[in-house]
Amino acid sequence: MTDFVTGSTHSADALPVSAVDPLADLPGYLLRRAANSMMAELGTRLNAHELRISEATVLLLINDRTDLTSAEIGKLLEIQRANMVPLLARLETAGLIHRVPINRKSQAIVLTPHGRTRLDEVRAVTQKFEADLLERIPAQHRPHLVPALQALLG
Amino acid sequence: MTDFVTGSTHSADALPVSAVDPLADLPGYLLRRAANSMMAELGTRLNAHELRISEATVLLLINDRTDLTSAEIGKLLEIQRANMVPLLARLETAGLIHRVPINRKSQAIVLTPHGRTRLDEVRAVTQKFEADLLERIPAQHRPHLVPALQALLG
DNA sequence: TATTGTTATACTCTATAACTATA
DNA sequence: TATAGTTATAGAGTATAACAATA
């Protein structure tokens, strides 16, 4: 059998992970491995819609807002101002967003009609993904994940 | 005040994160953000010891084992065989590991005496880091984090 | 035939410094 | 003075294809 996440092929009756990998009980290490696995999975699903995770995240954040600037999106998503430039350029080239001048210095990033349609696809993908992710977690631990992760963010 | 993890400067009495960031309740999104924040923090701490996270992880895994090959380390840590090459080259150049031939095809990766000394430093850093990470999580959620993350790995 | 170690390459995310134009 | 948008660049992690040598 092949593991859904890791792709490893240990049999089900093998020793616990920690016996073969002494790091497998460390929360920080697990956090990185789990995030990498889950983001690889999400990336694959979004790739079918020709979007990167960062691009889909921007679409979800903008939604119907018409007041967000590039710098504000970056702050909310923890993306450097400089790194927003190529990201938004790709979304603009794909016809998913357009720029509405606020003044001569700032411009709002707004979804185009096509962008709104694509956002509906993104929402379907991410909702399915989030549901699948939660289903992998045993019920008794499930309600604790979001609060625990939020605590790590401050 | 500046947040330990995110570096953001929202005041303590601000609206809940989900009010300003509609993604803040999604477990997958939180998983990525939390992992990024924590790994940035760990990276900074290890940087003081001139080690990357991946390098420190390899040292922790090898420990006192003398039977691990590059390919096996890669499988355990989910690092591609090809990406192990520069990683081990850096550790070898730094005098932390050396290679012991197993046969004419394979070679074991083993810590040097200096590597063992540096591993002790790494262990101190990572144990402190893991403890700090857990302390950030409210007590009622704390015991659920590791099992939940392990479930995401398979 | 399958695996080990390796080279080469490329993509993504992330980070910093610096510049301009405007608030 | 501070901020918005941008350019350029670099570091780090990750991924694939391909090769020679050996199990």
Side-chain angles (χ1 to χ4, degrees), chain A residues 30-40, chain B residues 31-32 35 149 152:
Chain A
L30 284 170
L31 187 62
R32 179 169 73 122
R33 290 273 295 261
N36 284 349
S37 293
M38 291 296 103
M39 289 309 109
Chain B
L31 187 62
R32 180 169 72 125
L149 294 175
L152 292 181

Side-chain angles (χ1 to χ4, degrees), chain B residues 36 69-71 75 81-82 85 99 105-107:
Chain B
N36 285 348
T69 65
S70 170
K75 274 174 199 152
R81 228 171 43 248
V85 176
R99 302 170 197 254
K105 183 180 168 187
S106 300
Q107 44 195 339

Side-chain angles (χ1 to χ4, degrees), chain A residues 16-33, chain B residues 126-127 130-131 133-134 142-151 153:
Chain A
V17 190
S18 55
V20 57
D21 182 355
L23 308 174
D25 289 326
L26 301 179
Y29 175 75
L30 284 170
L31 187 62
R32 179 169 73 122
R33 290 273 295 261
Chain B
T126 55
Q127 283 176 0
E130 300 286 353
L133 186 156
L134 283 177
R142 202 174 294 151
H144 298 276
L145 181 63
V146 164
L149 294 175
Q150 284 174 338
L153 288 180

Side-chain angles (χ1 to χ4, degrees), chain A residues 32 36 69-71 75 81-82 85 99 105-107:
Chain A
R32 179 169 73 122
N36 284 349
T69 65
S70 170
K75 274 174 198 152
R81 231 172 38 246
V85 176
R99 302 170 198 254
K105 184 179 168 187
S106 302
Q107 44 195 341

Side-chain angles (χ1 to χ4, degrees), chain A residues 135-149:
Chain A
E135 261 194 14
R136 297 177 60 83
I137 302 175
Q140 74 267 27
H141 304 305
R142 202 174 295 151
H144 297 276
L145 181 63
V146 164
L149 294 175

